[in-house]
Amino acid sequence: MDTVNISIYVLGMLVVLALIFDFMNGFHDSANSIATVVSTGVLKPQHAVAMAAFFNFIAIFVVNMKVAQTIGKGTIDPSVVDHYVIFGALVGAISWNLITWYYGIPSSSSHALIGGLVGAAVAKAGTGSLISGGLLKTVAFIVVAPLLGFVLGSVIMLIVAWVFVKATPRKVDGLFRKLQLVSAAAYSLGHGGNDAQKTMGIIWMLLIAAGYVSANDAHPPAWVIISCYAAIAFGTLFGGWRIVKTMGQKITKLKPVGGFCAETGGAMTLLMSSAFGIPVSTTHTITGAIVGVGAAQKASAVRWGVAGNIVWAWIFTIPASAFIAAVAWWIGTHIM
């Protein structure tokens, strides 16, 4: 692949912009990790975000680099990547995150980034610049991830209900208040492991295009890996509080046992997806798991209208961020 001429200043600006997106990813999606554990009263908000941030970061030692490889080499044709495309993609993703955060909508930062890449690449080189295999896998998991979260959340809830059928509510509540700390930590580990790598893939893509690293490298440079995990953890520490109430209480009323089942189902989905290099939405995953837990108790326990509004946000995320990215790409070609 031919390298493009990118000044060190523009390169540095785009790396900083990517890390800002990574920070916002953590900020926007912290609700995914902490909403259940906060809404059930197991942890105070400040303690919950600190725990989530810690496990976001230590995912660096646990999760492989396959998601970064999918983003960096498997979504758009590397030959079309330049600073304008990366700029457009990041502006599209950041803008959509800000819009959905402001309105308290739990949309997907991951799909906002994918949409941003698609929009900027198509604006530059048309649909032939897209790599169908990687994109189809990502789009398929818009449905598969929440469905898998739903199934695992509901199955775990039914198993727990069967195992503890003779236990008193007080005993169950006390036990799962402790176990929910474990499930929340596992979910935060999966969140950091999958989401931080999306920003790594963007920076890696940019460095390859600029000729600073080889396209044959198996993983991004160490400084990219560390800075991306640190940025998402730092963003999580600040917490997107507008979304916590939607995730924790508006979809269904959660108790510690339900919070444990939802987080465990979500964590299993995220860690399996990361192992196969599939960039999934942590928002879609935990929402599906929460709905599954509610439905396992009784269908009326789920506020289906709220869940339906969230699904509409999922549908619009990729096209909306793609449109903003295309406009940002055009602006970038005139100002950079």
Side-chain angles (χ1 to χ4, degrees):
M1 185 188 81
D2 295 332
T3 60
V4 295
N5 185 23
I6 304 175
S7 75
I8 191 67
Y9 304 105
V10 171
L11 183 68
M13 181 198 76
L14 290 174
V15 168
V16 170
L17 190 62
L19 292 175
I20 289 172
F21 167 78
D22 202 24
F23 172 89
M24 288 189 61
N25 191 340
F27 179 83
H28 187 277
D29 289 1
S30 62
N32 302 344
S33 298
I34 68 168
T36 53
V37 78
V38 170
S39 64
T40 56
V42 171
L43 283 178
K44 293 180 179 179
Q46 60 269 32
H47 297 154
V49 292
M51 183 191 73
F54 173 75
F55 282 98
N56 275 179
F57 184 77
I58 67 168
I60 193 173
F61 305 109
V62 178
V63 182
N64 61 40
M65 291 289 112
K66 289 186 177 180
V67 173
Q69 292 170 2
T70 299
I71 296 293
K73 301 178 180 180
T75 52
I76 62 176
D77 186 346
S79 66
V80 307
V81 176
D82 59 14
H83 46 306
Y84 302 122
V85 169
I86 298 298
F87 174 76
L90 290 171
V91 170
I94 290 171
S95 299
W96 185 247
N97 269 1
L98 284 172
I99 292 168
T100 52
W101 166 80
Y102 181 80
Y103 288 103
I105 302 169
S107 69
S108 169
S109 297
S110 307
H111 293 144
L113 185 60
I114 297 293
L117 282 171
V118 168
V122 170
K124 178 184 178 181
T127 55
S129 61
L130 306 180
I131 298 175
S132 59
L135 287 173
L136 287 174
K137 183 166 60 174
T138 301
V139 171
F141 267 74
I142 293 177
V143 176
V144 174
L147 183 60
L148 189 55
F150 177 94
V151 170
L152 289 172
S154 58
V155 168
I156 294 169
M157 187 69 192
L158 291 171
I159 291 172
V160 167
W162 179 75
V163 171
F164 292 92
V165 66
K166 294 183 179 179
T168 64
R170 183 174 180 179
K171 181 179 179 181
V172 170
D173 189 74
L175 174 62
F176 282 94
R177 280 182 174 274
K178 298 180 179 69
L179 289 178
Q180 204 181 350
L181 296 175
V182 178
S183 61
Y187 189 84
S188 297
L189 191 73
H191 172 225
N194 201 281
D195 274 17
Q197 289 193 47
K198 293 154 189 170
T199 305
M200 287 180 216
I202 288 288
I203 298 175
W204 193 9
M205 186 186 294
L206 181 64
L207 293 174
I208 291 171
Y212 285 93
V213 299
S214 170
N216 297 321
D217 290 346
H219 52 75
W223 68 266
V224 174
I225 297 172
I226 295 169
S227 60
C228 286
Y229 273 112
I232 198 169
F234 196 50
T236 297
L237 197 58
F238 278 81
W241 300 111
R242 287 176 180 265
I243 301 172
V244 169
K245 189 175 181 181
T246 300
M247 296 296 290
Q249 293 297 340
K250 285 188 177 180
I251 297 174
T252 189
K253 180 71 174 177
L254 286 174
K255 296 180 179 179
V257 61
F260 167 83
C261 295
E263 288 161 349
T264 302
M268 291 170 66
T269 302
L270 291 180
L271 292 170
M272 284 189 293
S273 300
S274 295
F276 288 102
I278 303 170
V280 300
S281 167
T282 56
T283 307
H284 294 192
T285 302
I286 194 63
T287 302
I290 290 171
V291 171
V293 165
Q297 298 171 76
K298 55 180 179 179
S300 60
V302 178
R303 296 183 178 93
W304 295 103
V306 174
N309 290 337
I310 293 172
V311 170
W312 277 113
W314 296 354
I315 293 170
F316 283 118
T317 291
I318 289 181
S321 56
F323 174 77
I324 298 170
V327 173
W329 171 85
W330 183 85
I331 293 171
T333 58
H334 288 78
I335 65 172
M336 292 175 64

